[in-house]
C-alpha cells in the first residue's frame, strides 16, 4: 500500500505539471503553428518552413531587427560598465536599505511609469527622440539589473584576498585586474546577457520613447498583429523566444555557484 507521503508527492507532481502546461502550453502551440504550411493562423494544414524564409524578404522587419540589435548592444554596454562600477562602489559601503531602494527602484517601478517619466525628462531637456533615446531609457533599468547580479557574485567573494594582494605589494589597479575582475567576471557576463535579453524584448518603454524612424523589433511586431496573427508572426515570435531562452539559460549557467 503506498504511503501518504508518496501520494502527496504524486499529487504535487500533477499540480506542477498542470501549472507548466498552463504557462507554456500556448507558447508550444505558437511554435508549432509557425511551421504551418497554410496562411491560416490556427488551422494546421501541414509542416513547412516557408514562413521562416519569408522573414528574409521583409525589409521593414529586418530594419527593425537591426535597430533592436543596435539598441540592445549599446544599452547593454553602458549598463554593464556603469552597473559593475555601481556594484563595486556599493560593496564598499555599509548596507543601507534606503540607498539600495533608490538604486534598485528602476527594476521595480512599472514600465509605463518609468516610460512616462523618461519621456517627460527628454521633453524637458528638449532632446529629440530616436534610437539614442531608447538606448538611454533601456540603460536606466539595465544598470540596476546588472548591479544586482554583480553584487550577488560579490557576496561570495573573499575580500581578504584583496588585503593579501595589497600586503604583497600589488597596487589597487593590479589587484582589481588580477584578483577581483576574474572572480566577478561570470557575474558581469551574466548581467550583460540578461540586460541584452530584456532590451531585445522590451516594448513599453521603447514604444513611448522611440522616434518616427527608430522602430524596434517589438514595436514592429505590435504593428503587424494589428491586422491579425499570421504564421509569419508566429515564426518571428519563435525565433525571438529561442534567442531569449538561450541567453537566459547561458546567464543562469554563468552565474551559478560561487567563484
Amino acid at each position: 500500500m503506498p504511503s501518504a507521503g508518496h501520494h502527496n508527492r504524486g499529487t504535487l507532481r500533477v499540480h506542477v505539471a498542470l501549472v507548466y502546461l498552463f504557462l507554456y502550453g500556448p507558447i508550444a502551440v505558437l511554435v508549432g503553428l509557425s511551421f504551418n504550411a497554410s496562411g491560416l493562423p490556427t488551422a494546421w494544414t501541414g509542416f513547412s518552413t516557408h514562413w521562416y524564409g519569408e522573414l528574409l524578404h521583409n525589409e521593414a522587419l529586418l530594419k527593425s531587427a537591426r535597430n533592436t540589435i543596435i539598441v540592445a548592444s549599446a544599452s547593454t554596454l553602458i549598463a554593464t560598465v556603469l552597473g559593475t562600477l555601481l556594484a563595486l562602489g556599493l560593496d564598499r559601503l555599509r548596507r543601507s536599505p534606503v540607498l539600495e531602494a533608490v538604486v534598485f527602484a528602476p527594476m521595480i517601478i512599472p514600465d509605463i511609469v518609468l516610460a512616462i517619466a523618461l519621456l517627460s525628462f527628454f521633453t524637458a531637456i528638449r532632446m529629440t527622440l530616436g534610437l539614442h533615446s531608447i538606448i538611454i531609457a533601456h540603460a536606466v533599468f539595465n544598470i540596476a539589473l546588472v548591479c544586482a547580479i554583480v553584487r550577488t557574485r560579490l557576496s561570495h567573494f573573499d575580500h581578504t584576498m584583496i588585503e593579501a594582494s595589497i600586503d604583497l605589494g600589488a597596487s589597487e589597479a593590479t589587484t582589481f585586474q588580477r584578483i577581483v575582475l576574474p572572480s566577478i567576471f561570470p557575474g558581469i557576463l551574466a548581467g550583460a546577457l540578461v540586460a541584452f535579453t530584456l532590451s531585445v524584448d522590451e516594448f513599453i518603454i521603447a514604444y513611448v520613447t522611440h522616434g518616427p524612424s527608430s522602430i524596434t523589433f517589438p514595436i514592429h511586431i505590435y504593428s503587424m498583429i494589428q491586422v491579425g496573427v499570421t504564421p509569419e508572426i508566429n515564426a518571428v515570435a519563435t525565433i525571438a523566444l529561442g534567442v531569449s531562452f538561450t541567453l537566459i539559460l547561458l546567464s543562469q549557467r554563468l552565474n551559478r555557484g560561487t567563484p
Side-chain angles (χ1 to χ4, degrees), residues 118-129 132-133:
L118 288 167
L119 179 60
S120 301
F121 174 73
F122 294 151
T123 303
I125 63 175
R126 298 185 179 182
M127 187 177 77
T128 58
L129 299 181
H132 57 284
S133 60

Side-chain angles (χ1 to χ4, degrees), residues 59-84:
E59 289 297 331
L61 180 64
L62 294 177
K63 181 180 179 181
S64 68
R66 286 193 294 269
N67 287 341
T68 292
I69 295 300
I70 293 172
V71 169
S73 300
S75 64
T76 297
L77 179 61
I78 296 172
T80 301
V81 174
L82 297 182
T84 300

Side-chain angles (χ1 to χ4, degrees), residues 9 26 28 51 53 70 85 99 104 110 118 154 167 224 240 246 253 256:
R9 285 194 297 270
W51 300 105
I70 293 172
L85 294 176
L99 180 60
F104 299 123
L118 288 167
L154 282 169
D167 288 341
M224 290 176 65
T246 301
R253 184 175 182 84
R256 183 174 57 188

Side-chain angles (χ1 to χ4, degrees), residues 32-33 35-48 51 231:
L33 289 176
F35 297 98
N36 192 8
S38 74
L40 300 176
T42 57
W44 180 264
T45 59
F47 180 86
S48 175
W51 300 105

Side-chain angles (χ1 to χ4, degrees), residues 224-245:
M224 290 176 65
I225 64 175
Q226 299 303 302
V227 295
V229 179
T230 66
E232 186 178 16
I233 296 177
N234 292 337
V236 172
T238 300
I239 294 174
L241 175 67
V243 172
S244 300
F245 189 70

